[in-house]
């Protein structure tokens, strides 16, 4: 059962916990997640981060974290498992930063531009390989 529901910086980003997750770990997670999602240039971020501590004493990595975020039109899902709460939060932050960077750059590098009547750029970008050979065809 979910023990804590707290909000991060973005009002639509929830941080949840299961098991015996202390307040210090939640505060540390909130700060690290906020550092990733509040960077300039990112689209609106919504979603949920879930931190769990297993109650089994024999587990090698009792801490796990899952993040399911939506950045504009892109979806980012990140999983992390570690031995301590700080380690799992650090691993989650590294993976979140990497995946959000990939999602943002994938949206910019796909080469598709909306036409001007749909809000795209009014100036056409030159196509790679276009030059005098492309213009030499008779009309």
């Amino acid at each position: 059962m979910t023990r804590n529901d707290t909000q991060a910086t973005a009002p639509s980003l929830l941080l949840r916990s299961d098991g015996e997750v202390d307040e210090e770990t939640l505060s540390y997670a909130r700060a690290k997640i906020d550092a990733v999602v509040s960077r300039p240039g990112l689209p609106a971020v919504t979603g949920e981060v879930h931190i769990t501590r297993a109650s089994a004493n024999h587990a090698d990595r009792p801490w796990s974290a899952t993040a399911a975020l939506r950045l504009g039109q892109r979806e980012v899902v990140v999983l992390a498992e570690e031995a301590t709460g700080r380690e799992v939060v650090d691993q989650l932050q590294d993976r979140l930063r990497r995946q959000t960077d990939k999602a943002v750059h994938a949206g910019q590098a796909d080469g598709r531009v909306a036409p001007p009547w749909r809000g795209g750029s009014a100036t056409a970008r030159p196509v790679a390989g276009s030059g005098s050979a492309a213009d030499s065809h008779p009309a």
Side-chain angles (χ1 to χ4, degrees):
M1 199 146 116
T2 303
R3 188 180 70 130
N4 291 324
D5 286 348
T6 57
Q7 291 189 352
T9 298
S12 55
L13 185 63
L14 289 175
L15 176 62
R16 297 177 180 255
S17 66
D18 276 342
E20 295 182 24
V21 180
D22 55 307
E23 199 57 43
E24 181 182 336
T25 302
L26 288 175
S27 175
Y28 185 69
R30 224 175 277 122
K32 293 291 190 169
I33 293 165
D34 288 347
V36 173
V37 300
S38 63
R39 291 179 295 158
L42 285 182
V45 179
T46 60
E48 181 177 305
V49 177
H50 197 125
I51 298 177
T52 305
R53 182 175 181 188
S55 59
N57 293 334
H58 63 278
D60 289 339
R61 294 184 277 175
W63 290 86
S64 65
T66 307
L69 306 180
R70 191 136 179 95
L71 283 83
Q73 298 296 323
R74 305 258 179 207
E75 204 167 323
V76 174
V77 177
V78 177
L79 305 171
E81 288 184 339
E82 283 299 331
T84 67
R86 280 192 173 263
E87 289 175 351
V88 79
V89 170
D90 289 339
Q91 187 179 63
L92 180 74
Q93 181 193 24
D94 290 344
R95 291 180 178 182
L96 266 177
R97 184 177 303 275
R98 209 170 346 171
Q99 292 298 325
T100 55
D101 287 348
K102 277 178 145 179
V104 169
H105 293 314
Q108 294 172 352
D110 63 2
R112 292 180 284 171
V113 176
W117 58 89
R118 290 195 178 157
S121 175
T123 59
R125 294 188 303 183
V127 178
S130 67
S132 60
D135 296 347
S136 65
H137 295 293

